[in-house]
Amino acid sequence: MALTLFNTLGRTLQPFEPLMAGKVGFYGCGPTVYNYAHIGNLRAYVVHDILVRTLRRAGFDVTHVMNITDVGHLSGDNDEGDDKMLKSAEERGKTVWEVADLYTRRFFQDTQQLNIQKPTVICKATEHIPDMIALIKRIEDRGFTYHAGGNLYFDITQFAAYGELGRLRLEDQKAGARIGVDQNKRNPHDFVLWFTKSKFENQAMLWDSPWGRGYPGWHIECSAMSIKYLGETFDIHAGGIDHVPIHHTNEIAQSEAATGIHPWVRYWVHNEFLVLDKGKMSKSSGSFLTLQALVDSGYDPLDYRYFLLGAHYRSQVQFSYEALTGARNARKSLLDRIRERVQALGSPSSLSGLRNSPLPPSFREGKAGAYLAAFHTALDDDLATPRGLAELWGILRDPVVSAEDALRGVCAMDEVLGLNLAETVETGAPEESETLRDSIEALIAERAAAKKVRDFDRADRIRQTLKEQGIILEDRPNETVWRRG
Ligand code: AMP
Ligand code: ZN
């Protein structure tokens, strides 16, 4: 089966056909580095990773480009609010450059721990200002801009296809939408290409440009850098679902205005959000969970990866420690099963041999081959990771499949899933008891917090989750203790 992707442009499942045979140009919006990435942001990058791995598995030579937003992103995507980098630097008593450097490094530590492959090109906005200026000039020369209040704006009325991606009904939104909107804008959906009159007096990042000394609007960086590294039209662009109505809509408008090529991007892939039971996770409000917080509670980053793969990328996922504990238990059982199969082979070192050798014809023709084919069909069907995981479990559980073939299949599937299964088994399990103890303590603390806000259902669910793991809680006057039941 050919790879099929749900294209937001058109809202249908479409067979994937690249512009150039055998090659794929892929751009995924990267992080805004004014704070740690939260686990919702990281969901987006796990999805990009699964997409890239699926494409590579299918034989495509993928160029994956990721930007680092280190300038110009205001707290409102629509040019409103504070400058995210500047605000963060002021709060932390650092320069904007120091903040960008710190959180870029932390971001790549997180992605490495989640076994996310490094993009082919990582490009910082601040290192591509001349490319942005050149692109804005093309947009200006073709008549899509106006000056107001010292800034250069994109005039959406000049771009007939504006809002196609998000199916925006612009007329509906005009009335009343001007409240709080930059009064220089002729239309509330117009957006800034270049700021010279910063509302932030202490703006630290400034560059000379034909429109005066200033800095770029947020959206232009993604158009300029993707065009620079992937060409004026390319295959796939991805990001979170929140980017559909503004950021990606504006990227399309300015790119197509500059080049005259339609469509600029052929497939748009958007992941749904990870939400907390309290609601939306927001980096700017500070109410969010980091990967490190999960690690501090005793989870392995790959437990979180496993948790994410259990849901389809276009479904909203609610995060809870209970669900993460479930994912951890499942991953642990998976590793135990692999260990059993390795033991059945007699020699643990044979796993790496199997991993690095091609699949023999006997594998492909037998039942193991059918599991692997079903796995690939699932992933090729708009990245259906939950079905992929079911095939992984299937091949491991099936008594008809030999230990050797089961392990070959696991290794082949894990090239796409990226759970590092063979490596984890080869290097030995992490110190289990300490990890387990930490996570029990974290759940006890979460239960105490739930009781404090009189959320007794949640407290009971946590007690039940632990009971299912053989852990019994006893409430004492000032503390809760646990024991194995
Ligand atoms: P940012 O660093 O805020 O620019 O966001 C990085 C990526 O994370 C973007 O693709 C967002 O659309 C995506 N994103 C933001 N919040 C969430 C969330 N809660 N769940 C999934 N993706 C998210
Ligand atoms: Zn972007």
Side-chain angles (χ1 to χ4, degrees):
M1 186 180 134
L3 174 63
T4 301
L5 293 172
F6 184 86
N7 191 348
T8 309
L9 198 60
R11 305 280 200 283
T12 49
L13 285 166
Q14 297 173 5
F16 175 71
E17 280 163 26
L19 274 165
M20 256 193 290
K23 289 191 187 301
V24 176
F26 168 59
Y27 184 89
C29 288
T32 308
V33 285
Y34 68 102
N35 203 338
Y36 297 106
H38 59 56
I39 56 172
N41 300 133
L42 293 171
R43 179 181 195 199
Y45 303 108
V46 169
V47 170
H48 298 184
D49 190 48
I50 293 290
L51 173 59
V52 169
R53 286 169 181 263
T54 300
L55 289 162
R56 289 197 172 129
R57 203 284 311 166
F60 291 108
D61 173 9
V62 182
T63 304
H64 174 188
V65 179
M66 181 196 280
N67 64 306
I68 302 290
T69 300
D70 52 0
V71 64
H73 194 171
L74 307 190
S75 56
D77 285 352
N78 212 6
D79 304 326
E80 307 309 319
D82 298 323
D83 181 304
K84 291 186 175 185
M85 295 298 297
L86 195 61
K87 187 164 173 241
S88 169
E90 279 168 0
E91 282 167 7
R92 289 164 175 77
K94 293 181 187 290
T95 67
V96 276
W97 306 97
E98 286 166 345
V99 166
D101 185 54
L102 169 68
Y103 293 116
T104 303
R105 276 189 288 113
R106 297 304 294 258
F107 173 75
F108 285 111
Q109 282 170 11
D110 286 351
T111 55
Q112 192 188 355
Q113 286 192 297
L114 285 167
N115 203 26
I116 293 171
Q117 292 178 340
K118 270 235 157 143
T120 326
V121 177
I122 297 167
C123 39
K124 290 185 184 177
T126 49
E127 291 174 0
H128 292 78
I129 302 294
D131 301 288
M132 297 185 216
I133 291 175
L135 193 67
I136 298 172
K137 265 198 195 139
R138 289 174 73 183
I139 300 169
E140 186 178 40
D141 289 348
R142 291 173 57 107
F144 289 89
T145 62
Y146 60 91
H147 292 259
N151 301 325
L152 188 71
Y153 291 86
F154 187 95
D155 179 357
I156 67 152
T157 59
Q158 300 301 312
F159 185 73
Y162 188 83
E164 187 189 350
L165 181 76
R167 299 189 167 170
L168 304 183
R169 292 169 49 181
L170 303 180
E171 292 312 311
D172 290 357
Q173 297 184 17
K174 243 182 190 170
R178 295 207 70 96
I179 301 152
V181 167
D182 173 350
Q183 291 303 315
N184 293 318
K185 291 185 182 181
R186 293 180 190 163
N187 182 304
H189 292 273
D190 290 347
F191 56 93
V192 178
L193 293 166
W194 190 266
F195 288 97
T196 64
K197 284 281 179 296
S198 171
K199 46 186 169 181
F200 313 111
E201 284 167 12
N202 43 357
Q203 176 60 269
M205 292 170 154
L206 294 168
W207 293 266
D208 289 327
S209 84
W211 312 281
R213 196 162 168 73
Y215 61 100
W218 171 39
H219 316 293
I220 196 72
E221 66 172 270
C222 289
S223 293
M225 292 191 279
S226 59
I227 288 175
K228 173 168 180 153
Y229 294 107
L230 297 171
E232 297 202 342
T233 168
F234 60 92
D235 297 298
I236 311 177
H237 193 316
I241 193 95
D242 56 324
H243 285 343
V244 175
I246 301 178
H247 183 49
H248 290 165
T249 289
N250 292 350
E251 281 187 37
I252 292 172
Q254 62 199 3
S255 303
E256 296 190 3
T259 64
I261 298 172
H262 177 80
W264 168 50
V265 168
R266 292 150 50 84
Y267 299 85
W268 285 89
V269 173
H270 290 103
N271 65 275
E272 247 301 346
F273 263 36
L274 176 95
V275 294
L276 296 177
D277 45 8
K278 305 194 265 307
K280 209 182 145 198
M281 199 169 332
S282 152
K283 195 149 63 166
S284 42
S285 75
S287 65
F288 64 83
L289 275 172
T290 59
L291 189 66
Q292 188 56 44
L294 305 189
V295 171
D296 292 344
S297 300
Y299 296 91
D300 187 301
L302 294 175
D303 294 333
Y304 182 57
R305 186 170 174 115
Y306 188 98
F307 165 82
L308 289 176
L309 300 187
H312 190 265
Y313 77 94
R314 285 194 290 116
S315 309
Q316 199 173 83
V317 169
Q318 187 162 349
F319 177 83
S320 72
Y321 278 106
E322 291 156 270
L324 185 62
T325 301
R328 184 184 45 201
N329 292 342
R331 194 177 74 93
K332 184 178 169 303
S333 311
L334 196 58
L335 290 167
D336 287 345
R337 290 232 169 215
I338 296 171
R339 282 189 198 100
E340 279 163 30
R341 293 294 209 167
V342 172
Q343 266 162 16
L345 278 187
S347 108
S349 61
S350 47
L351 188 56
S352 60
L354 288 180
R355 184 147 53 105
N356 297 320
S357 59
L359 297 170
S362 61
F363 175 96
R364 294 197 180 278
E365 286 150 17
K367 195 147 183 222
Y371 279 110
L372 183 58
F375 173 87
H376 288 149
T377 301
L379 270 289
D380 286 352
D381 183 8
D382 196 31
L383 315 177
T385 50
R387 272 164 53 204
L389 283 179
E391 300 302 334
L392 177 71
W393 278 100
I395 199 170
L396 269 171
R397 279 190 178 134
D398 193 329
V400 172
V401 178
S402 70
E404 195 173 303
D405 276 352
L407 292 170
R408 284 186 208 280
V410 166
C411 293
M413 292 178 192
D414 202 27
E415 271 176 38
V416 182
L417 297 174
L419 289 166
N420 251 348
L421 296 169
E423 294 83 344
T424 307
V425 166
E426 277 164 2
T427 52
E431 194 34 72
E432 196 96 73
S433 54
E434 207 171 304
T435 321
L436 185 68
R437 209 174 28 245
D438 286 349
S439 74
I440 293 171
E441 300 294 349
L443 281 174
I444 290 177
E446 199 181 319
R447 179 168 167 267
K451 279 167 73 173
K452 218 171 182 173
V453 295
R454 309 188 67 75
D455 185 353
F456 297 112
D457 279 354
R458 182 161 177 77
D460 285 347
R461 280 205 310 277
I462 293 173
R463 178 193 281 279
Q464 187 57 30
T465 304
L466 285 168
K467 195 169 167 208
E468 281 159 18
Q469 293 174 46
I471 306 295
I472 307 295
L473 300 187
E474 276 175 25
D475 288 322
R476 305 245 170 102
N478 292 318
E479 60 173 351
T480 300
V481 294
W482 62 274
R483 61 177 169 78
R484 286 185 194 282

